[in-house]
Amino acid sequence: MRITELLTKATVAMDLEATTKDEAILELAHQLNHAGKLNNLDDFVAAIHNRESQSSTGIGEGIAIPHAKVGAVDTPAIAFGKSKAGLDYNSLDMQPAHLFFMIAAPEAGAQTHLDALAKLSGILMDDQVREALLHATTPEEVLAIINKADDEVEDEENVTNHAADVDTTQPYVLAVTACPTGIAHTFMARDALKKQAEQMGVQIKVETNGAGGIKNHLTEEDIEKADGIIVAADVHVETNRFNGKNVVQVPVADGIKRPEALIQTALDKSRKPFVAEQGTTTSEGNEEKLSVGKTIYKHLMNGVSNMLPLVIAGGILMAIVFMIHPDAMDPNSSHYNAFADTLWQIGNKSAFALIVPILAGYIARSIADKPGFAAGLVGGMLAVSGDSGFIGGIIAGFLAGYLTQGIKSLTKNFPQMLEGLKPTLIYPIVSVTITGLAMIYIFNTPASWLNNALISGLDSLSGTNIVILGIVIGAMMAIDMGGPFNKAAYVFSTAALTAGNPAPITAAMVGGMVPPIALAFAMIIFRAKFTKEQRGSIIPNFVMGASFITEGAIPFAAADPLRVIPSMMVGSGIAGGLALLFGSQIQAPHGGLVVIFGTDFGHSLYTIIAIVIGALIGAVMYGLLKQKPKQTPTI
């Protein structure tokens, strides 16, 4: 689909009068409404703001692409507006946004808004396109610029760069890009690599693992002819097809920030070839600058990221049951409710029961690709039945993954006639059997002892000790707001909750809620130290904090880390300690105020007091440290 099928003269607003993010959203929404694309303006604007509350659609480079897929849209469309002066959009690079593309997609639409997002993200990587749009004076000129850029973009559904067209006398590099959402960064990395390759005189083909699936798929002939391969991805990518090639594996952001260095590394013939025998994913030296610790962290986070949907879904359902009554799921209680019991079966007995097996399975898959998944799942199930919990699950995941790697290494010289039996028979039977036996006879006993010792230790904490625990966990939630420390604290707390101890998750949730709320308070108390645009995020930050979305504070932390992070750590730590001191016991791992009231109503007032105290302390500390904003010249 061409962008100008969605972006028309009627939906081009040209120069915006808006000076704030909210005003820009409203002005573009009105443009779509006047063009007859919406059936309910208020619902559409609410959907846009809901999407912005998850993370800013200001993708950097002066670009913002607000978007929503909602029933308030009659016809898919894109609105465009620009601001030469720029306005604060809470963009990822913390720079003013100048170009705005608002995408409206009907709720029943398939991939319209995702495809448009992907295409726009790529086109807008071009400096000349951005500059031309910024200085366009008429809607016709805007459409002509977009049409020209659209013509230059390859239609990846009908691949044009075949391996047969490659000049074998010139360098040829392949790349795969992928990000968790499969939208902006996937395609920004693609275009950055292609643009740099063109400047270097290097032939390149890029496969994208986007929200709409894999496009521009790398063929066996492509891989055979390639001099090197770049995998710029934050999610799992099938790499066993690259056996024997020079493979560079980096985060997707590196594909955007340093494409030249990646292409040069991919062309470096002195690097050790990648080894992937029937699903082996990595060999020493292929994961660029990845230490042992970072490798372990990568595999662990792959398990955690796939586990979290179960944690959140199960936790919210459990909270709903507690809101009906704490004993609503108990058939022997006078408060028994059949529907509540059904929700409990779904949330606690099903979703929560899968947490450890999924954690273990995806750790193993991250290490050994698909052949390791089955053994990881079985090992995780045995960890649950063996009472070794999260500790056993993590052990099972790494055991299954590296065991499968070893099996593949041992069988790599088997006769060719057995190749087809390896992934379907040999790998699963051997890996599942050995992993199962090892968990039952070797690892479950000590892991169960350690797990129970940890639980007993937590259960015995009281007084000063439990307050210290709350301070530590609360502060960890604010150190990197979604990074390794935050995730470590959250995983530990979730593990403790599944074992029956709610203290850690109470401190984690309270600590995670504080940063956005603290920043909102800071903008109210120290109004003169914040710009008008920043103060426009006061309400969204209160909403995100109340919903346990710590990431609402990330734009501020990224722009001023030396002042924001210590202030938030102090506030979150104090809030976590106070919550446990007051006896709060949140019984679900996610949901913010919903689960505070739903699962621990008796302490809800004390919990909120702890959050407010911590947030006010963090706000005052940051406000005193923060400098007044500097006036930025207009462009």
Side-chain angles (χ1 to χ4, degrees), residues 123 187 246 292 506 623 632:
I123 285 176
F187 298 93
N246 176 21
V292 173
T506 300
T632 55

Side-chain angles (χ1 to χ4, degrees), residues 262-295:
L262 298 184
I263 293 172
Q264 289 174 343
T265 305
L267 294 174
D268 182 359
K269 298 185 183 298
S270 66
R271 298 181 79 242
K272 185 177 179 179
F274 181 88
V275 179
E277 295 291 340
Q278 292 294 313
T280 301
T281 54
T282 63
S283 67
E284 185 178 351
N286 285 105
E287 293 201 2
E288 191 180 81
K289 298 180 180 178
L290 215 56
S291 65
V292 173
K294 288 183 178 179
T295 299

